[in-house]
């Protein structure tokens, strides 16, 4: 029996994918990001569900994820959007329908040495200053790609910096202009890539002109909004898309005990019981992804009661004040993230309490905790 587990709602995952299909139409390639263990939701299970329900491509960060998917029998084309070391290029080429994002001239030079065909997507620097090729470097890439008979320039891409952080999308629109300039440069030289892509979840929802013919939605597939601002902007623009959270993280009560007023709870004695009361010990901790910043701040749900986390989060345990929950029993189910009864602990709430974003909340849940698709 596991000490904690993550339940994945198949129907919510399918609902979200179909919601994006409804938004972008049939002519746009839906390429959900399943990197980082599908944002913590389980790489292979999520990819299989997406494959059966209308995804056209999958985006991963690295070669090992593509290998896992192929080993599991997933057949969709895969785009590796992170870094592929030069020493891994042969393995990429040997996998069927695995393509890479390219932004170093050395990568193209090394790919050229192989005989086997490889499809690449050129990443353009438009203002994020993460990966990408500057506009004035594009001619050098064009020359080299044209001289390599085994390299197909299948796509051109970029990534937005702050669409989800702003109500005003001026910077994203500037990036879009830069991207269009890059596409023009490639077309002018007779190297028009078939796929053009820059849209993450926020851009897919808010900027129809950024969808081109390929979108790389991530967080939205898991039923979460990139930010409050994105949700509000979409409401204001009357864009209709409903996202349903996919994940519920659960554990069970490992001990219940009465403690006296003034008792000090946990490492560092950071919590003092304000009255005679009752605590529950729960068998999860920061090793599992319930971060230490939630010490004396987080909440859990037990039998529909919202119970505060008291004392410091330990490596493998936390304590909750359950004084008001008179009906609690040993091994009762505890919701750490998700709904129980009428209450819900959202990834956004947990993120705010631990000074981060919903993306990190689900992604940081330890990979060894089972994901159970239901
Ligand atoms: C290059 C790239 N494309 C797409 C995405 C998906 O973004 P989101 O989860 O905001 O939809 C990410 C996520 O970090 C990314 O790095």
């Amino acid at each position: 029996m596991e000490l904690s587990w993550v339940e994945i709602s198949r129907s919510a995952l399918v609902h979200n994918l179909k919601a994006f299909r409804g938004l972008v139409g049939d002519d746009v390639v839906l390429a959900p990001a399943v990197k980082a263990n599908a944002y913590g939701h389980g790489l292979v299970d999520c990819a299989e569900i997406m494959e059966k329900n209308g995804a056209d491509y999958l985006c991963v960060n690295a070669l090992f994820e593509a290998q896992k998917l192929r080993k599991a029998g997933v057949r969709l084309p895969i785009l590796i959007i992170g870094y592929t070391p030069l020493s891994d290029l042969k393995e990429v080429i040997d996998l069927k329908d695995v393509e890479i994002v390219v932004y170093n001239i050395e990568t193209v030079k090394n790919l050229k040495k192989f005989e086997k065909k490889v499809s690449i997507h050129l990443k353009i620097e438009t203002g994020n200053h993460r990966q990408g090729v500057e506009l004035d470097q594009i001619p050098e890439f064009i020359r080299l790609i044209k001289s390599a008979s085994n390299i197909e320039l299948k796509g051109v891409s970029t990534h937005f910096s702050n669409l989800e952080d702003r109500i005003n999308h001026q910077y994203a629109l500037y990036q879009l202009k830069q991207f269009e300039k890059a596409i023009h440069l490639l077309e002018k030289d007779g190297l028009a890539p078939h796929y053009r892509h820059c849209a993450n979840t926020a851009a897919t929802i808010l900027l129809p002109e950024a969808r081109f013919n390929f979108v790389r939605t991530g967080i939205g597939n898991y039923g979460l909004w990139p930010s409050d601002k994105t949700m509000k902007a979409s409401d204001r623009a009357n864009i209709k898309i409903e996202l349903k959270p996919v994940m519920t993280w659960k554990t069970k009560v490992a001990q219940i005990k009465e403690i006296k007023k003034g008792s000090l709870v946990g490492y560092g004695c950071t919590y003092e019981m304000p009255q005679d009361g009752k605590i529950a010990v729960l068998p999860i901790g920061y090793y599992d992804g319930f971060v230490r910043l939630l010490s004396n701040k987080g909440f859990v749900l037990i039998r529909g009661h919202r119970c505060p986390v008291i004392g410091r989060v330990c490596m493998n345990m936390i304590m909750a004040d359950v004084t008001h929950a008179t009906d609690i029993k040993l091994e009762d189910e505890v919701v750490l993230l998700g709904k129980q009864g009428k209450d819900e602990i959202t990834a956004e709430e947990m993120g705010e309490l631990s000074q981060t974003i919903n993306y990190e909340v689900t992604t940081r849940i330890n990979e060894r905790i089972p994901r159970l698709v239901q």
Side-chain angles (χ1 to χ4, degrees):
M1 184 67 219
E2 296 292 338
L3 297 178
S4 91
W5 64 98
V6 173
E7 294 175 1
I8 298 299
S9 163
R10 180 192 305 271
S11 62
L13 194 60
V14 172
H15 164 93
N16 298 328
L17 191 68
K18 299 210 160 155
F20 281 114
R21 174 61 74 206
L23 195 65
V24 304
D26 289 338
D27 297 334
V28 173
V29 166
L30 267 189
V34 291
K35 62 185 185 143
N37 199 26
Y39 290 44
H41 293 70
L43 170 67
V44 170
D45 284 335
C46 289
E48 284 174 348
I49 294 169
M50 288 168 172
E51 180 169 45
K52 282 195 191 107
N53 289 281
D56 303 300
Y57 252 77
L58 294 169
C59 294
V60 299
N61 183 60
L63 172 64
F64 83 93
E65 296 162 309
Q67 287 169 327
K68 258 193 187 169
L69 290 175
R70 286 292 176 260
K71 208 166 163 205
V74 173
R75 308 238 288 262
L76 286 178
I78 295 173
L79 178 60
I80 299 180
I81 60 177
Y83 182 57
T84 304
L86 304 179
S87 57
D88 283 352
L89 294 175
K90 178 167 175 0
E91 281 186 82
V92 167
I93 292 178
D94 285 343
L95 285 174
K96 193 165 166 10
D97 292 332
V98 174
E99 301 163 9
I100 57 171
V101 163
V102 168
Y103 39 88
N104 290 315
I105 203 77
E106 293 86 345
T107 305
V108 187
K109 284 180 182 161
N110 275 271
L111 286 172
K112 197 180 159 181
K113 293 181 195 158
F114 296 97
E115 279 182 7
K116 240 172 150 177
K117 206 184 133 201
V118 58
S119 298
I120 63 170
H121 297 233
L122 188 65
K123 180 99 178 224
I124 309 297
E125 173 56 74
T126 58
N128 196 18
H129 296 105
R130 203 169 69 168
Q131 309 153 311
V133 171
E134 297 286 348
L135 262 57
D136 62 7
Q137 291 177 300
I138 291 177
E140 190 189 355
F141 278 82
I142 291 177
R143 273 194 301 279
L144 194 58
I145 293 168
K146 276 186 161 173
S147 72
S149 55
N150 66 325
I151 301 178
E152 177 199 19
L153 182 65
K154 194 161 184 185
V156 55
S157 72
T158 193
H159 193 52
F160 291 113
S161 299
N162 71 349
L163 200 54
E164 45 280 304
D165 295 318
R166 295 272 187 285
I167 291 287
N168 175 337
H169 296 143
Q170 230 172 344
Y171 196 66
L173 294 174
Y174 159 77
Q175 285 190 268
L176 199 54
K177 273 221 174 83
Q178 295 299 99
F179 187 49
E180 280 161 354
K181 276 187 203 164
I183 295 173
H184 179 69
L185 281 175
L186 293 166
E187 283 177 341
K188 192 165 67 84
D189 257 312
L191 252 192
H194 181 58
Y195 292 128
R196 291 114 203 258
H197 48 104
C198 57
N200 54 6
T201 298
T204 302
I205 294 175
L206 298 178
L207 288 185
E209 66 270 43
R211 293 177 196 153
F212 294 90
N213 59 353
F214 189 115
V215 295
R216 307 184 309 258
T217 50
I219 193 98
N221 292 290
Y222 309 103
L224 305 177
W225 282 80
S227 70
D228 231 30
K229 288 198 171 79
T230 307
M231 194 194 255
K232 283 190 190 126
S234 127
D235 252 9
R236 213 168 302 141
N238 208 18
I239 297 162
K240 302 255 178 284
I241 181 162
E242 187 202 4
L243 300 175
K244 295 187 178 175
V246 169
M247 169 185 288
T248 308
W249 184 16
K250 292 180 176 175
T251 183
K252 44 177 60 190
V253 174
Q255 189 183 8
I256 302 165
K257 59 179 138 199
E258 313 271 342
I259 61 172
K260 292 273 179 239
K261 177 178 177 183
S263 300
L264 302 170
V265 178
Y267 286 130
C269 305
T270 61
Y271 186 82
E272 183 175 332
M273 274 308 266
Q275 73 223 358
D276 287 356
K278 198 167 56 166
I279 64 167
V281 181
L282 311 177
I284 55 105
Y286 56 79
Y287 171 56
D288 303 286
F290 198 95
V291 292
R292 206 160 168 273
L293 282 166
L294 291 168
S295 301
N296 290 309
K297 283 198 183 135
F299 293 91
V300 299
L301 303 175
I302 316 178
R303 287 196 186 240
H305 304 285
R306 180 171 267 262
C307 310
V309 171
I310 56 173
R312 285 195 186 143
V313 171
C314 316
M315 190 180 285
N316 304 105
M317 273 169 261
I318 59 171
M319 284 70 80
D321 187 337
V322 295
T323 306
H324 60 301
T326 49
D327 49 348
I328 283 182
K329 300 213 166 36
L330 181 68
E331 296 209 355
D332 267 354
E333 190 168 279
V334 181
V335 167
L336 303 167
L337 179 66
K339 274 191 185 148
Q340 191 187 62
K342 293 196 180 108
D343 206 349
E344 179 175 10
I345 295 174
T346 62
E348 291 72 30
E349 176 188 350
M350 209 186 234
E352 206 161 295
L353 291 174
S354 52
Q355 295 167 29
T356 186
I357 50 175
N358 49 5
Y359 289 69
E360 191 181 348
V361 167
T362 59
T363 303
R364 72 190 172 195
I365 298 174
N366 193 314
E367 220 166 308
R368 52 146 281 284
I369 295 173
R371 270 62 174 175
L372 310 174
V373 178
Q374 304 190 321

